[in-house]
Amino acid sequence: FTILHCIAATISLKQQDSRMSAQAFWKAAAPLIAVTEMHPFLVAMVDGTLDMESFRYYVVQDALYLGDFADCLQRLSKGADNEHDAKRLEAFAKGAQEAEMELHNSFFAEWDISAEGVQQMPNTLLYTSYMKRIVATRCHAEGLAVLLPCFWVYMHVGKKMLQLRKDLGDSVIRCPQFDAWIDMYGGDDFEKEVKDYIKMCDKAAAEADADTQKEMEKHFIMSCKLEHMFWDQAQNRMEWPNIVTDQGCPNEALPN
């Protein structure tokens, strides 16, 4: 009995050691994240050189993104297999709609602008369309994974930006909106929310089969790419092309 008990315990330990976690997704995306944490848009926010028009553009697009992000969290809450996760996902959705949007709305009030009637720019639409498709058409675990970078990458860059701000000290002057953004995403309250969501993803990954785990990792990496592209878009203030004007109108239309 003792030998069999030891063998069973060893097998159990090996199974626990081999369980997938969200950290494996982070490791797979680590080279990309290392580039993103040094994105010129983010660095310029800390050193105070970011153009305010680019920051306004970013905040408006981020507000549009958050609306779809919160909707995805609400959808996931309805597909949760237990009441605790359902309520927690509802709370995450509320946090995106209220806590994060409170920051954005404070900026809008200061600038006397609104996101109402503004269209999602190309990379915003690319990102929101992707995550909405995964949440709507794939399993619950994959839906959790596709939203994870918005939590985790933001916390990570927020912490990096806090450190850079500390290193720079009083050598630079930045506008208060930049500091407010850094304080929120690098702060302890947001970190707690992110860690709770990571735990949920850990559980989903550990219980998923190998094929689902691969899909979760794929979605995580894609969303990490889209996070980077979102800041690219803000830095360049990307607009939809005016195809008719840019290409010119032909003298005669093609036959039907």
Side-chain angles (χ1 to χ4, degrees):
F1 172 81
T2 303
I3 295 175
L4 291 175
H5 181 77
C6 290
I7 291 173
T10 301
I11 293 173
S12 177
L13 285 172
K14 287 182 177 179
Q15 287 174 338
Q16 290 177 9
D17 290 340
S18 64
R19 290 174 70 183
M20 177 71 77
S21 72
Q23 190 62 46
F25 307 151
W26 184 271
K27 183 177 180 180
L32 171 60
I33 295 166
V35 175
T36 298
E37 71 188 37
M38 294 302 296
H39 196 290
F41 183 91
L42 301 175
V43 174
M45 198 188 302
V46 184
D47 67 22
T49 61
L50 181 64
D51 181 77
M52 182 54 74
E53 285 305 311
S54 295
F55 186 66
R56 286 194 186 99
Y57 172 106
Y58 161 78
V59 173
V60 170
Q61 289 299 308
D62 198 44
L64 298 174
Y65 169 90
L66 284 172
D68 285 336
F69 182 71
D71 180 66
C72 285
L73 288 166
Q74 286 283 7
R75 288 174 179 268
L76 286 178
S77 73
K78 293 177 174 59
D81 60 6
N82 63 81
E83 186 178 358
H84 175 269
D85 284 359
K87 289 183 176 179
R88 199 69 190 95
L89 286 163
E90 287 179 1
F92 287 133
K94 185 177 181 180
Q97 290 171 321
E98 296 181 5
E100 293 189 68
M101 278 306 301
E102 182 179 358
L103 178 68
H104 292 62
N105 287 331
S106 72
F107 295 159
F108 292 159
E110 292 172 21
W111 299 330
D112 194 24
I113 64 172
S114 169
E116 186 175 350
V118 179
Q119 65 178 335
Q120 293 188 359
M121 288 297 133
N123 288 356
T124 310
L125 184 60
L126 180 63
Y127 196 174
T128 58
S129 297
Y130 181 73
M131 68 181 185
K132 287 164 69 177
R133 178 176 67 83
I134 299 305
V135 169
T137 66
R138 306 297 297 175
C139 68
H140 185 76
E142 290 180 46
L144 290 172
V146 78
L147 302 186
L148 179 55
C150 185
F151 285 103
W152 205 348
V153 172
Y154 261 62
M155 182 189 76
H156 179 75
V157 301
K159 297 296 185 185
K160 293 290 184 181
M161 293 165 79
L162 274 178
Q163 184 59 53
L164 179 57
R165 186 174 69 178
K166 180 179 178 182
D167 293 343
L168 291 173
D170 297 329
S171 65
V172 300
I173 299 174
R174 71 186 65 81
C175 76
Q177 290 91 348
F178 296 173
D179 278 324
W181 192 97
I182 297 167
D183 289 338
M184 178 166 187
Y185 291 108
D188 293 340
D189 289 343
F190 187 66
E191 181 179 4
K192 181 181 182 301
E193 295 290 294
V194 173
K195 287 183 175 179
D196 282 353
Y197 191 83
I198 291 172
K199 287 179 183 177
M200 196 176 296
C201 292
D202 282 340
K203 180 175 179 291
E207 295 174 352
D209 59 35
D211 288 341
T212 301
Q213 289 170 351
K214 288 179 181 178
E215 290 300 300
M216 292 176 74
E217 181 178 295
K218 181 179 76 174
H219 301 320
F220 181 85
I221 293 172
M222 179 58 72
S223 288
C224 286
K225 291 177 182 177
L226 291 166
E227 287 289 343
H228 189 96
M229 291 167 64
F230 197 83
W231 282 308
D232 280 344
Q233 174 183 257
Q235 184 179 23
N236 300 318
R237 281 183 260 166
M238 181 186 292
E239 298 283 341
W240 287 101
N242 189 334
I243 297 172
V244 173
T245 300
D246 292 346
Q247 300 299 321
C249 295
N251 292 330
E252 294 183 6
L254 293 175
N256 292 329

